[in-house]
Amino acid sequence: MNVLFIIQNYSTYDGSSLVLYEYIKNNPLIQSYKIICRKILSKQEDLVIEEVSNKNKLKKVLNEKNYDLVHYFKTLGYELFNWAFTNNNKNLPIITTVCQRPSKIGMLLSPNEIKYSRHIIFIDKSSYQDPLYYFIPKDIKSVIYFGRNEENIKTTQRIIEEYTPDNDTIIFGRGSSLNKCPLDLIDIFDQIQIKNKKLIIAGINKGSWIEKKYWNREDIIIYPPSDYISWLKLCNTFDIFLYYLPLDTHSSIDGTLGDAMILEKPCIYYGPGAPKERFTNGEDGFICETKDDLIKWANILGKDQELRKNIGKNARKSIIRNFPLKKTIDSYNQLYSRVIKDNEISTHHIPLSFILYFYRHSIRQFLRYVISGTTLERKFSVYK
């Protein structure tokens, strides 16, 4: 099968880009492919990818090979999708994978993305059930989780075995972009009654507010974004994965949380709904309903090494059992076959109220960036 993939920007630090790379690399049905994007920030050496700056260049790519379908990874913006469907003279089926919560401003599905996608895939149940998109027919949407490949399972096992922990210090850690760091994160950490504790925050660029505010704290260490293996090795030094997210953030089921779990780290989570789908509460992690719960479980785990060990081992088992990449690939390949075989374009109705909502918020978003002097590409190009 020959597939044309579309993603807004590509970066080896970006979760959606990494998922796309692993998916292509491990899918035996994909015999040839190309990725097109607006901006390549960094990439793997073996990746087949091309930047396109206008719709004529995208049209040229569409016509250069006999693609079987277009697979669009929806992150931010919708310009590339519009260029794709307006130049889709061969009537190639377009399927859309929604990589983040699509009700968040800047990530809204556009009317065209909904109308011209042969099928829409959400990567978690929270996004699938988003009430904003109640009108999308069930027969053109589904949930497909992204899973772990065998190489990742072996790599993380090797990292676990090679590490010797420091038993004198309890390290609380997390990995996320700055917009997912709550303003009171350090206040929560300071309320944990554990001696010799440290907090490591990974994925934060230099010059951030959190670095400026806490630069003189020896018990708080901030790391910038790194390559994936370096991140796994850093995550493996954590005793507890303390994952507190703002309730209004756009988090999906979350790859960094999955990384911690497969590294046998006991995870404590407080935040929006999607990441909760990884857990069986109390068995392979802890889901907190309040900040007080977060502090409570941090204290309990910090003082109980055996509990940390048991929860961590259960976490790895559940990730391997419930999120295998093979299941992801099989589900997509079945969908590929179905949409190629079924040549009919869906004609479902998009309510006027949603169209007005979309354009009202899109205009507001655009004006905010114009006034601030920040472009969409600059603001959103790297981290999710």
PDB file of all heavy atoms in Angstrom, residues 4-31:
ATOM      1  N   LEU A   4       0.048   8.526   1.594  1.00  0.00           N
ATOM      2  CA  LEU A   4       0.539   9.877   1.793  1.00  0.00           C
ATOM      3  C   LEU A   4       0.077  10.352   3.170  1.00  0.00           C
ATOM      4  O   LEU A   4      -1.118  10.432   3.441  1.00  0.00           O
ATOM      5  CB  LEU A   4       0.002  10.820   0.711  1.00  0.00           C
ATOM      6  CG  LEU A   4       0.447  12.286   0.832  1.00  0.00           C
ATOM      7  CD1 LEU A   4       1.946  12.413   0.632  1.00  0.00           C
ATOM      8  CD2 LEU A   4      -0.299  13.166  -0.169  1.00  0.00           C
ATOM      9  N   PHE A   5       1.042  10.669   4.041  1.00  0.00           N
ATOM     10  CA  PHE A   5       0.731  11.149   5.382  1.00  0.00           C
ATOM     11  C   PHE A   5       0.881  12.666   5.423  1.00  0.00           C
ATOM     12  O   PHE A   5       1.771  13.236   4.795  1.00  0.00           O
ATOM     13  CB  PHE A   5       1.675  10.521   6.411  1.00  0.00           C
ATOM     14  CG  PHE A   5       1.464   9.047   6.596  1.00  0.00           C
ATOM     15  CD1 PHE A   5       2.239   8.132   5.897  1.00  0.00           C
ATOM     16  CD2 PHE A   5       0.487   8.570   7.474  1.00  0.00           C
ATOM     17  CE1 PHE A   5       2.059   6.772   6.066  1.00  0.00           C
ATOM     18  CE2 PHE A   5       0.299   7.211   7.653  1.00  0.00           C
ATOM     19  CZ  PHE A   5       1.073   6.301   6.945  1.00  0.00           C
ATOM     20  N   ILE A   6       0.007  13.300   6.190  1.00  0.00           N
ATOM     21  CA  ILE A   6       0.045  14.756   6.348  1.00  0.00           C
ATOM     22  C   ILE A   6       0.066  15.081   7.841  1.00  0.00           C
ATOM     23  O   ILE A   6      -0.743  14.563   8.608  1.00  0.00           O
ATOM     24  CB  ILE A   6      -1.183  15.423   5.691  1.00  0.00           C
ATOM     25  CG1 ILE A   6      -1.229  15.130   4.189  1.00  0.00           C
ATOM     26  CG2 ILE A   6      -1.169  16.926   5.935  1.00  0.00           C
ATOM     27  CD1 ILE A   6      -2.466  15.680   3.495  1.00  0.00           C
ATOM     28  N   ILE A   7       0.996  15.939   8.237  1.00  0.00           N
ATOM     29  CA  ILE A   7       1.054  16.448   9.605  1.00  0.00           C
ATOM     30  C   ILE A   7       1.536  17.890   9.531  1.00  0.00           C
ATOM     31  O   ILE A   7       2.355  18.221   8.673  1.00  0.00           O
ATOM     32  CB  ILE A   7       1.963  15.568  10.482  1.00  0.00           C
ATOM     33  CG1 ILE A   7       1.838  15.933  11.958  1.00  0.00           C
ATOM     34  CG2 ILE A   7       3.414  15.629  10.025  1.00  0.00           C
ATOM     35  CD1 ILE A   7       2.501  14.917  12.905  1.00  0.00           C
ATOM     36  N   GLN A   8       1.048  18.754  10.406  1.00  0.00           N
ATOM     37  CA  GLN A   8       1.348  20.180  10.287  1.00  0.00           C
ATOM     38  C   GLN A   8       2.847  20.463  10.364  1.00  0.00           C
ATOM     39  O   GLN A   8       3.429  21.062   9.480  1.00  0.00           O
ATOM     40  CB  GLN A   8       0.606  20.961  11.380  1.00  0.00           C
ATOM     41  CG  GLN A   8       0.826  22.460  11.346  1.00  0.00           C
ATOM     42  CD  GLN A   8       0.171  23.141  10.159  1.00  0.00           C
ATOM     43  OE1 GLN A   8      -0.676  22.561   9.495  1.00  0.00           O
ATOM     44  NE2 GLN A   8       0.567  24.363   9.877  1.00  0.00           N
ATOM     45  N   ASN A   9       3.479  20.046  11.463  1.00  0.00           N
ATOM     46  CA  ASN A   9       4.923  20.207  11.639  1.00  0.00           C
ATOM     47  C   ASN A   9       5.495  18.892  12.147  1.00  0.00           C
ATOM     48  O   ASN A   9       4.809  18.135  12.829  1.00  0.00           O
ATOM     49  CB  ASN A   9       5.248  21.325  12.633  1.00  0.00           C
ATOM     50  CG  ASN A   9       4.766  22.673  12.154  1.00  0.00           C
ATOM     51  OD1 ASN A   9       5.022  23.062  11.029  1.00  0.00           O
ATOM     52  ND2 ASN A   9       4.048  23.392  13.005  1.00  0.00           N
ATOM     53  N   TYR A  10       6.770  18.650  11.842  1.00  0.00           N
ATOM     54  CA  TYR A  10       7.388  17.395  12.266  1.00  0.00           C
ATOM     55  C   TYR A  10       8.609  17.685  13.120  1.00  0.00           C
ATOM     56  O   TYR A  10       9.466  18.499  12.763  1.00  0.00           O
ATOM     57  CB  TYR A  10       7.811  16.546  11.056  1.00  0.00           C
ATOM     58  CG  TYR A  10       8.170  15.134  11.448  1.00  0.00           C
ATOM     59  CD1 TYR A  10       7.220  14.119  11.386  1.00  0.00           C
ATOM     60  CD2 TYR A  10       9.445  14.814  11.921  1.00  0.00           C
ATOM     61  CE1 TYR A  10       7.532  12.827  11.782  1.00  0.00           C
ATOM     62  CE2 TYR A  10       9.758  13.528  12.313  1.00  0.00           C
ATOM     63  CZ  TYR A  10       8.800  12.540  12.242  1.00  0.00           C
ATOM     64  OH  TYR A  10       9.102  11.258  12.639  1.00  0.00           O
ATOM     65  N   SER A  11       8.671  16.993  14.264  1.00  0.00           N
ATOM     66  CA  SER A  11       9.812  17.148  15.166  1.00  0.00           C
ATOM     67  C   SER A  11      10.015  15.856  15.946  1.00  0.00           C
ATOM     68  O   SER A  11       9.043  15.216  16.369  1.00  0.00           O
ATOM     69  CB  SER A  11       9.562  18.304  16.154  1.00  0.00           C
ATOM     70  OG  SER A  11      10.496  18.274  17.219  1.00  0.00           O
ATOM     71  N   THR A  12      11.261  15.491  16.148  1.00  0.00           N
ATOM     72  CA  THR A  12      11.562  14.287  16.924  1.00  0.00           C
ATOM     73  C   THR A  12      11.281  14.491  18.412  1.00  0.00           C
ATOM     74  O   THR A  12      11.384  13.554  19.192  1.00  0.00           O
ATOM     75  CB  THR A  12      13.031  13.877  16.744  1.00  0.00           C
ATOM     76  OG1 THR A  12      13.875  15.003  17.038  1.00  0.00           O
ATOM     77  CG2 THR A  12      13.291  13.414  15.324  1.00  0.00           C
ATOM     78  N   TYR A  13      10.954  15.704  18.826  1.00  0.00           N
ATOM     79  CA  TYR A  13      10.553  15.975  20.205  1.00  0.00           C
ATOM     80  C   TYR A  13       9.036  15.947  20.381  1.00  0.00           C
ATOM     81  O   TYR A  13       8.537  16.096  21.495  1.00  0.00           O
ATOM     82  CB  TYR A  13      11.062  17.346  20.666  1.00  0.00           C
ATOM     83  CG  TYR A  13      12.558  17.479  20.702  1.00  0.00           C
ATOM     84  CD1 TYR A  13      13.198  18.549  20.097  1.00  0.00           C
ATOM     85  CD2 TYR A  13      13.338  16.537  21.363  1.00  0.00           C
ATOM     86  CE1 TYR A  13      14.581  18.686  20.141  1.00  0.00           C
ATOM     87  CE2 TYR A  13      14.722  16.651  21.405  1.00  0.00           C
ATOM     88  CZ  TYR A  13      15.330  17.725  20.798  1.00  0.00           C
ATOM     89  OH  TYR A  13      16.703  17.852  20.840  1.00  0.00           O
ATOM     90  N   ASP A  14       8.322  15.814  19.300  1.00  0.00           N
ATOM     91  CA  ASP A  14       6.868  15.937  19.316  1.00  0.00           C
ATOM     92  C   ASP A  14       6.207  14.559  19.374  1.00  0.00           C
ATOM     93  O   ASP A  14       6.554  13.657  18.610  1.00  0.00           O
ATOM     94  CB  ASP A  14       6.421  16.681  18.049  1.00  0.00           C
ATOM     95  CG  ASP A  14       4.925  16.636  17.847  1.00  0.00           C
ATOM     96  OD1 ASP A  14       4.202  17.181  18.696  1.00  0.00           O
ATOM     97  OD2 ASP A  14       4.479  16.043  16.845  1.00  0.00           O
ATOM     98  N   GLY A  15       5.246  14.393  20.294  1.00  0.00           N
ATOM     99  CA  GLY A  15       4.612  13.097  20.488  1.00  0.00           C
ATOM    100  C   GLY A  15       3.917  12.570  19.249  1.00  0.00           C
ATOM    101  O   GLY A  15       4.043  11.389  18.907  1.00  0.00           O
ATOM    102  N   SER A  16       3.180  13.412  18.539  1.00  0.00           N
ATOM    103  CA  SER A  16       2.458  12.969  17.343  1.00  0.00           C
ATOM    104  C   SER A  16       3.421  12.535  16.242  1.00  0.00           C
ATOM    105  O   SER A  16       3.174  11.558  15.535  1.00  0.00           O
ATOM    106  CB  SER A  16       1.545  14.086  16.829  1.00  0.00           C
ATOM    107  OG  SER A  16       0.581  14.440  17.805  1.00  0.00           O
ATOM    108  N   SER A  17       4.529  13.255  16.107  1.00  0.00           N
ATOM    109  CA  SER A  17       5.532  12.890  15.103  1.00  0.00           C
ATOM    110  C   SER A  17       6.170  11.543  15.427  1.00  0.00           C
ATOM    111  O   SER A  17       6.366  10.703  14.538  1.00  0.00           O
ATOM    112  CB  SER A  17       6.616  13.975  15.023  1.00  0.00           C
ATOM    113  OG  SER A  17       6.067  15.229  14.674  1.00  0.00           O
ATOM    114  N   LEU A  18       6.495  11.329  16.695  1.00  0.00           N
ATOM    115  CA  LEU A  18       7.105  10.055  17.099  1.00  0.00           C
ATOM    116  C   LEU A  18       6.164   8.891  16.873  1.00  0.00           C
ATOM    117  O   LEU A  18       6.571   7.817  16.411  1.00  0.00           O
ATOM    118  CB  LEU A  18       7.521  10.126  18.569  1.00  0.00           C
ATOM    119  CG  LEU A  18       8.713  11.027  18.900  1.00  0.00           C
ATOM    120  CD1 LEU A  18       8.886  11.140  20.403  1.00  0.00           C
ATOM    121  CD2 LEU A  18       9.986  10.504  18.253  1.00  0.00           C
ATOM    122  N   VAL A  19       4.906   9.098  17.189  1.00  0.00           N
ATOM    123  CA  VAL A  19       3.899   8.053  16.976  1.00  0.00           C
ATOM    124  C   VAL A  19       3.788   7.720  15.496  1.00  0.00           C
ATOM    125  O   VAL A  19       3.726   6.547  15.102  1.00  0.00           O
ATOM    126  CB  VAL A  19       2.537   8.520  17.540  1.00  0.00           C
ATOM    127  CG1 VAL A  19       1.398   7.702  16.957  1.00  0.00           C
ATOM    128  CG2 VAL A  19       2.526   8.409  19.065  1.00  0.00           C
ATOM    129  N   LEU A  20       3.767   8.752  14.663  1.00  0.00           N
ATOM    130  CA  LEU A  20       3.674   8.545  13.214  1.00  0.00           C
ATOM    131  C   LEU A  20       4.875   7.754  12.701  1.00  0.00           C
ATOM    132  O   LEU A  20       4.724   6.821  11.899  1.00  0.00           O
ATOM    133  CB  LEU A  20       3.582   9.898  12.509  1.00  0.00           C
ATOM    134  CG  LEU A  20       3.597   9.896  10.977  1.00  0.00           C
ATOM    135  CD1 LEU A  20       2.499   8.999  10.413  1.00  0.00           C
ATOM    136  CD2 LEU A  20       3.472  11.316  10.443  1.00  0.00           C
ATOM    137  N   TYR A  21       6.055   8.101  13.164  1.00  0.00           N
ATOM    138  CA  TYR A  21       7.276   7.407  12.728  1.00  0.00           C
ATOM    139  C   TYR A  21       7.228   5.926  13.095  1.00  0.00           C
ATOM    140  O   TYR A  21       7.499   5.053  12.253  1.00  0.00           O
ATOM    141  CB  TYR A  21       8.500   8.072  13.350  1.00  0.00           C
ATOM    142  CG  TYR A  21       9.799   7.374  13.036  1.00  0.00           C
ATOM    143  CD1 TYR A  21      10.376   7.477  11.775  1.00  0.00           C
ATOM    144  CD2 TYR A  21      10.455   6.599  13.998  1.00  0.00           C
ATOM    145  CE1 TYR A  21      11.570   6.839  11.481  1.00  0.00           C
ATOM    146  CE2 TYR A  21      11.653   5.954  13.708  1.00  0.00           C
ATOM    147  CZ  TYR A  21      12.199   6.072  12.451  1.00  0.00           C
ATOM    148  OH  TYR A  21      13.371   5.436  12.156  1.00  0.00           O
ATOM    149  N   GLU A  22       6.885   5.627  14.349  1.00  0.00           N
ATOM    150  CA  GLU A  22       6.836   4.237  14.795  1.00  0.00           C
ATOM    151  C   GLU A  22       5.749   3.454  14.067  1.00  0.00           C
ATOM    152  O   GLU A  22       5.920   2.275  13.748  1.00  0.00           O
ATOM    153  CB  GLU A  22       6.613   4.176  16.308  1.00  0.00           C
ATOM    154  CG  GLU A  22       7.797   4.639  17.128  1.00  0.00           C
ATOM    155  CD  GLU A  22       9.039   3.782  16.885  1.00  0.00           C
ATOM    156  OE1 GLU A  22       8.895   2.571  16.614  1.00  0.00           O
ATOM    157  OE2 GLU A  22      10.154   4.331  16.950  1.00  0.00           O
ATOM    158  N   TYR A  23       4.642   4.112  13.798  1.00  0.00           N
ATOM    159  CA  TYR A  23       3.544   3.460  13.080  1.00  0.00           C
ATOM    160  C   TYR A  23       3.967   3.056  11.669  1.00  0.00           C
ATOM    161  O   TYR A  23       3.744   1.921  11.228  1.00  0.00           O
ATOM    162  CB  TYR A  23       2.343   4.404  13.032  1.00  0.00           C
ATOM    163  CG  TYR A  23       1.227   3.930  12.144  1.00  0.00           C
ATOM    164  CD1 TYR A  23       0.396   2.880  12.533  1.00  0.00           C
ATOM    165  CD2 TYR A  23       1.007   4.520  10.901  1.00  0.00           C
ATOM    166  CE1 TYR A  23      -0.613   2.438  11.709  1.00  0.00           C
ATOM    167  CE2 TYR A  23      -0.001   4.087  10.078  1.00  0.00           C
ATOM    168  CZ  TYR A  23      -0.816   3.038  10.484  1.00  0.00           C
ATOM    169  OH  TYR A  23      -1.810   2.591   9.663  1.00  0.00           O
ATOM    170  N   ILE A  24       4.599   3.969  10.944  1.00  0.00           N
ATOM    171  CA  ILE A  24       5.056   3.670   9.578  1.00  0.00           C
ATOM    172  C   ILE A  24       6.120   2.582   9.593  1.00  0.00           C
ATOM    173  O   ILE A  24       6.078   1.630   8.798  1.00  0.00           O
ATOM    174  CB  ILE A  24       5.605   4.949   8.909  1.00  0.00           C
ATOM    175  CG1 ILE A  24       4.486   5.970   8.695  1.00  0.00           C
ATOM    176  CG2 ILE A  24       6.277   4.616   7.577  1.00  0.00           C
ATOM    177  CD1 ILE A  24       4.979   7.328   8.236  1.00  0.00           C
ATOM    178  N   LYS A  25       7.064   2.720  10.508  1.00  0.00           N
ATOM    179  CA  LYS A  25       8.197   1.807  10.585  1.00  0.00           C
ATOM    180  C   LYS A  25       7.760   0.372  10.853  1.00  0.00           C
ATOM    181  O   LYS A  25       8.401  -0.588  10.377  1.00  0.00           O
ATOM    182  CB  LYS A  25       9.137   2.290  11.697  1.00  0.00           C
ATOM    183  CG  LYS A  25      10.406   1.472  11.873  1.00  0.00           C
ATOM    184  CD  LYS A  25      11.257   2.074  12.990  1.00  0.00           C
ATOM    185  CE  LYS A  25      12.473   1.229  13.278  1.00  0.00           C
ATOM    186  NZ  LYS A  25      13.268   1.777  14.408  1.00  0.00           N
ATOM    187  N   ASN A  26       6.680   0.191  11.588  1.00  0.00           N
ATOM    188  CA  ASN A  26       6.267  -1.145  12.027  1.00  0.00           C
ATOM    189  C   ASN A  26       5.060  -1.707  11.290  1.00  0.00           C
ATOM    190  O   ASN A  26       4.624  -2.819  11.598  1.00  0.00           O
ATOM    191  CB  ASN A  26       5.972  -1.129  13.533  1.00  0.00           C
ATOM    192  CG  ASN A  26       7.219  -0.969  14.367  1.00  0.00           C
ATOM    193  OD1 ASN A  26       7.919  -1.924  14.657  1.00  0.00           O
ATOM    194  ND2 ASN A  26       7.507   0.270  14.773  1.00  0.00           N
ATOM    195  N   ASN A  27       4.522  -0.960  10.323  1.00  0.00           N
ATOM    196  CA  ASN A  27       3.332  -1.427   9.609  1.00  0.00           C
ATOM    197  C   ASN A  27       3.742  -2.144   8.314  1.00  0.00           C
ATOM    198  O   ASN A  27       4.175  -1.506   7.354  1.00  0.00           O
ATOM    199  CB  ASN A  27       2.413  -0.259   9.283  1.00  0.00           C
ATOM    200  CG  ASN A  27       1.051  -0.723   8.789  1.00  0.00           C
ATOM    201  OD1 ASN A  27       0.893  -1.831   8.283  1.00  0.00           O
ATOM    202  ND2 ASN A  27       0.053   0.127   8.935  1.00  0.00           N
ATOM    203  N   PRO A  28       3.595  -3.472   8.250  1.00  0.00           N
ATOM    204  CA  PRO A  28       4.045  -4.215   7.065  1.00  0.00           C
ATOM    205  C   PRO A  28       3.198  -3.949   5.820  1.00  0.00           C
ATOM    206  O   PRO A  28       3.646  -4.217   4.703  1.00  0.00           O
ATOM    207  CB  PRO A  28       3.917  -5.682   7.503  1.00  0.00           C
ATOM    208  CG  PRO A  28       2.868  -5.674   8.568  1.00  0.00           C
ATOM    209  CD  PRO A  28       3.026  -4.370   9.281  1.00  0.00           C
ATOM    210  N   LEU A  29       1.997  -3.404   6.014  1.00  0.00           N
ATOM    211  CA  LEU A  29       1.127  -3.139   4.868  1.00  0.00           C
ATOM    212  C   LEU A  29       1.598  -1.928   4.058  1.00  0.00           C
ATOM    213  O   LEU A  29       1.318  -1.820   2.868  1.00  0.00           O
ATOM    214  CB  LEU A  29      -0.310  -2.924   5.356  1.00  0.00           C
ATOM    215  CG  LEU A  29      -1.393  -2.823   4.286  1.00  0.00           C
ATOM    216  CD1 LEU A  29      -1.556  -4.152   3.538  1.00  0.00           C
ATOM    217  CD2 LEU A  29      -2.734  -2.414   4.912  1.00  0.00           C
ATOM    218  N   ILE A  30       2.322  -1.021   4.710  1.00  0.00           N
ATOM    219  CA  ILE A  30       2.777   0.199   4.034  1.00  0.00           C
ATOM    220  C   ILE A  30       4.066  -0.109   3.264  1.00  0.00           C
ATOM    221  O   ILE A  30       5.146  -0.208   3.833  1.00  0.00           O
ATOM    222  CB  ILE A  30       3.003   1.336   5.051  1.00  0.00           C
ATOM    223  CG1 ILE A  30       1.692   1.666   5.766  1.00  0.00           C
ATOM    224  CG2 ILE A  30       3.549   2.583   4.351  1.00  0.00           C
ATOM    225  CD1 ILE A  30       1.839   2.671   6.892  1.00  0.00           C
ATOM    226  N   GLN A  31       3.929  -0.257   1.971  1.00  0.00           N
ATOM    227  CA  GLN A  31       5.067  -0.594   1.116  1.00  0.00           C
ATOM    228  C   GLN A  31       5.869   0.648   0.729  1.00  0.00           C
ATOM    229  O   GLN A  31       7.085   0.588   0.545  1.00  0.00           O
ATOM    230  CB  GLN A  31       4.573  -1.324  -0.129  1.00  0.00           C
ATOM    231  CG  GLN A  31       3.887  -2.653   0.202  1.00  0.00           C
ATOM    232  CD  GLN A  31       3.219  -3.273  -1.003  1.00  0.00           C
ATOM    233  OE1 GLN A  31       2.720  -2.567  -1.877  1.00  0.00           O
ATOM    234  NE2 GLN A  31       3.192  -4.590  -1.052  1.00  0.00           N
TER     235      GLN A  31
END
